Amino acid sequence: MSSAPSSTAPSQPAPRLMRDLLDLLASMRFAIALLTVICIASIIGTVVKQHEPYNNYVNQFGPFWAEVFDKVGLYAVYSAGWFLLILAFLVVSTSLCIARNTPKILSDLKSFKEGVREQALRAFHHKAGGTLALAPDAALQRVNELLTAQGWQARAQVRANGTMVAARKGMANKIGYLAAHSAIVLICLGGLFDGDLVVRAQMALLGKRAYAGGGSIADVKPEHRLPLANPTYRGNLLVSEGGRAGTAVISMSDGVVLQDLPFDVELKKFIVEYYDTGMPKLFASEVVVHDRDTGAKTAATVKVNEPLIHHGVAIYQSSFDDGGSQLTLRALPMKGRSEPFTVQGTVGGSTRLSKGGSDADALTLEFTGLRVINVENLGDSATPQAAGSATDVRKVDLSSTLDKHLGSGVKGSRDKQLRNIGPSVGYKLRDASGQAREFNNYMLPVELDGQKVFLAGLRDSPNEPFRYLRIPADEQGSTDAWWRMAQALRDDEMRAKAVRRYVAQATPADKPQMAEQLTTTAQRALALFAGAEHVVVPGGKPQDSAPGGLPALAQFIDTTVPEGERQRISEVLLRIINGCLVELANLSREQAGLKPLGSDEATQRFMTQAVMALSDAAFYPAPVMLQLADFKQVQASVFQVARAPGKTLVYLGAVLLIIGVFAMLYIRERRLWIWLAPADDGAGVGGTKLQAALSTTRRTLDTDAEFESLKAALLHDATPAAATAAAPKDTP
């Protein structure tokens, strides 16, 4: 007997714990907390770019936080396990809430609550009373006609001492509650079903794995492919003009999986139109869908927001890309003395460039993109003062130049002036260690500050803006004149000839003894500018010296000239350098069979920019610069293909949500009770005593007005004494 309590006592907390858990899951506070977390996660998923390469996140957040955010799953929020778990809990919580309240709501929808006692009507805020000069039966008939005319549903309960009429209106408010909560469940279920949860489940159950390699899609093994019977998926399909494809790529956090489609999409023509700003205004694809089962061909045009539906699979126009344009590039060696050469390739492909005799010196050239239209802001920044200073090749501002190596392509624009500056090519040069720099070079010269220049951009990281080397265009609209100058600058013999010519012109006729000193100074300055001689930095290492250009001259002045003499010596050296470079340009033109430079303003502008470009070229980090010589553009269309059966649930949930919110906000539930009892004034004259009360879920001015109107209609023929006696009862 004594063991019975001990055997049953431990089992009591378990049901209580289950009840507490069910109460928590079914509570409104828990559901609101889950919705709040989902909203925060959605904001994070919007702010943080999803499914980017991990290196991009490292550059943006740093190694530590990039790893922390990766562990939390912020780079794929909508497919993170915790996000899907929260959605599942929200479905469970809302479903329990619906299950708990539905019986009560259904009971309320059926009930008129006519069993209310007549004494309880006096406790309501909205109440009225009076005596009608009608018999009870006539009064009941009149009340029924009035309620029916005003849209009330009514039911009468006859009692021994009178009749209780119970009426109701606005019961759709409770239906709105069920509709809104059901909408949340349907939308979450649709999101779970159309997300990658089903794909992940198939990967776990069918032994599928994400693919993280490269190569052709046709070479990917079956363990990285999902079956045709996959009920739900969403992937991308890239199709080049004139080509066809039938395998979608689904991005996962650790790679991609391939989804074979029951059809092939052939891209006949890609159409794109642009705004004046260079942004795409319209892009569409003329396609032919080849059904694999029947062989049928379906022609259609796919536009943004106008998808093509084929056998339950929606084909959306997502974006566009390069489909393998053929490029012809002219490579200009930036180091040493070698001739230009031609490189051919395809966007998306790569080739090898050898810097030396070993594979360790080889660079991999990756063709990353071709842009045929580039609309840039080329506001007029060349004020008369700036233009005037730019006409004198001797007025190169050494101090203001040191911090502007490879600067932005367009600077100082005041007035917004959009202009298409022509095609550009993007490529990467990757060394043997895998490190790559990105380059973006324009095909045609751009006029900046009165001088046409070729822009050769580069950056070390995708998070950095491009810095541009500005190479002046010659009279033929090419870089040949400048490049010949650069080649001559690297030649010891050419530099010596240029110095001799400059000294012969610059030495005063009455001071021939200055020629030797001027020659020595000019040779040293030109060698420093060319990078053929380096400044010995006191206490520094060889790599601390500038590689050439104006910074090398500035470093030489800072280390050898007293501070008080630096400004004067800088001006002298700049005049010498500019004079020698003019002679060097003429020597290079003579070798090419061209006439010497003139002395007009255009020549002065060309030489000013040429000096700056030669100085900046010393810092160019690549052995070659590639110019776009010719191209054959091949467009590609990026489609998003989706089989989304859950969208029906989402659409239904959206409709229910609209109905539910509208019902809860704009429909007020009201219940009305009218008690009718025989009245006797003591003289034997009969009448009907009326007592009315109104209940509502929300007290509003409209409710007050409605009850006042109803009270006036009920008591419009009541005796004055009775109406007056009932007045105090209307006050709260």
Side-chain angles (χ1 to χ4, degrees), residues 469-470 472 482-483 485-487 489 529 548-550 581 584 607 609-619:
L469 174 66
R470 307 172 192 84
W482 178 86
W483 188 80
M485 285 183 62
Q487 287 290 86
L489 185 63
F529 187 85
L550 296 176
L581 290 176
L584 198 65
M607 283 304 302
Q609 187 58 51
V611 172
M612 303 297 293
L614 289 172
S615 177
D616 288 345
F619 297 86

Side-chain angles (χ1 to χ4, degrees), residues 127-132 690 711 715-731:
K127 57 183 179 294
T131 301
L132 303 179
L690 182 147
K711 182 175 68 172
L715 302 175
H716 80 283
D717 59 349
T719 60
T724 304
K729 297 181 181 180
D730 296 336
T731 59

Side-chain angles (χ1 to χ4, degrees), residues 266-286:
E266 180 184 1
L267 180 61
K268 287 294 186 180
K269 183 179 180 182
F270 180 77
I271 305 167
V272 60
E273 298 177 4
Y274 295 90
Y275 290 105
D276 294 338
T277 60
M279 296 296 293
K281 178 172 61 175
L282 167 69
F283 49 95
S285 301
E286 296 180 359

Side-chain angles (χ1 to χ4, degrees), residues 418-456:
L418 300 177
R419 187 190 311 166
N420 179 19
I421 59 177
S424 66
V425 62
Y427 61 91
K428 291 182 180 179
L429 288 178
R430 192 178 302 274
D431 58 23
S433 65
Q435 299 296 319
R437 284 190 176 91
E438 188 176 358
F439 299 82
N440 183 57
N441 297 344
Y442 290 87
M443 182 180 186
L444 303 176
V446 181
E447 185 171 342
L448 298 177
D449 296 330
Q451 172 64 44
K452 289 187 175 182
V453 296
F454 288 89
L455 299 176

Side-chain angles (χ1 to χ4, degrees), residues 134-288:
L134 294 172
D137 292 341
L140 177 60
Q141 182 179 357
R142 180 180 158 213
V143 167
N144 285 334
E145 292 175 353
L146 176 63
L147 295 179
T148 302
Q150 295 189 7
W152 291 84
Q153 294 177 326
R155 178 180 294 176
Q157 184 185 66
V158 179
R159 302 177 185 176
N161 57 342
T163 301
M164 178 66 73
V165 178
R168 64 186 187 182
K169 183 188 287 189
M171 301 308 293
N173 176 271
K174 293 186 179 295
I175 297 177
Y177 174 89
L178 293 177
H181 285 70
S182 300
I184 296 176
V185 175
L186 291 175
I187 291 173
C188 291
L189 286 176
L192 287 171
F193 195 67
D194 285 348
D196 62 354
L197 184 63
V198 176
V199 174
R200 289 179 179 273
Q202 292 185 78
M203 293 176 65
L205 298 176
L206 302 179
K208 304 295 183 179
R209 294 184 291 110
Y211 180 71
S216 174
I217 289 180
D219 298 331
V220 179
K221 296 181 179 180
E223 58 262 30
H224 307 298
R225 295 176 178 269
L226 297 176
L228 283 172
N230 186 8
T232 174
Y233 53 82
R234 188 179 299 271
N236 291 326
L237 184 70
L238 187 144
V239 188
S240 301
E241 277 186 331
R244 56 192 286 181
T247 303
V249 178
I250 302 175
S251 298
M252 307 295 290
S253 59
D254 53 349
V256 299
V257 290
L258 303 183
Q259 174 63 60
D260 292 321
L261 303 174
F263 53 81
D264 286 347
V265 177
E266 180 184 1
L267 180 61
K268 287 294 186 180
K269 183 179 180 182
F270 180 77
I271 305 167
V272 60
E273 298 177 4
Y274 295 90
Y275 290 105
D276 294 338
T277 60
M279 296 296 293
K281 178 172 61 175
L282 167 69
F283 49 95
S285 301
E286 296 180 359
V287 301
V288 176

Side-chain angles (χ1 to χ4, degrees), residues 281-355:
K281 178 172 61 175
L282 167 69
F283 49 95
S285 301
E286 296 180 359
V287 301
V288 176
V289 178
H290 300 263
D291 192 280
R292 293 183 180 179
D293 292 334
T294 63
K297 300 179 181 180
T298 304
T301 299
V302 183
K303 300 180 181 179
V304 178
N305 298 325
E306 296 182 18
L308 169 65
I309 309 297
H310 187 78
H311 291 312
V313 179
I315 305 173
Y316 297 91
Q317 179 69 64
S318 176
S319 61
F320 59 92
D321 206 339
D322 194 284
S325 298
Q326 300 175 11
L327 306 175
T328 300
L329 305 177
R330 182 170 180 253
L332 300 179
M334 302 294 285
K335 312 291 181 184
R337 298 193 62 224
S338 56
E339 294 299 318
F341 57 94
T342 300
V343 178
Q344 292 184 336
T346 302
V347 173
S350 63
T351 187
R352 291 178 67 83
L353 297 177
S354 178
K355 295 194 299 181

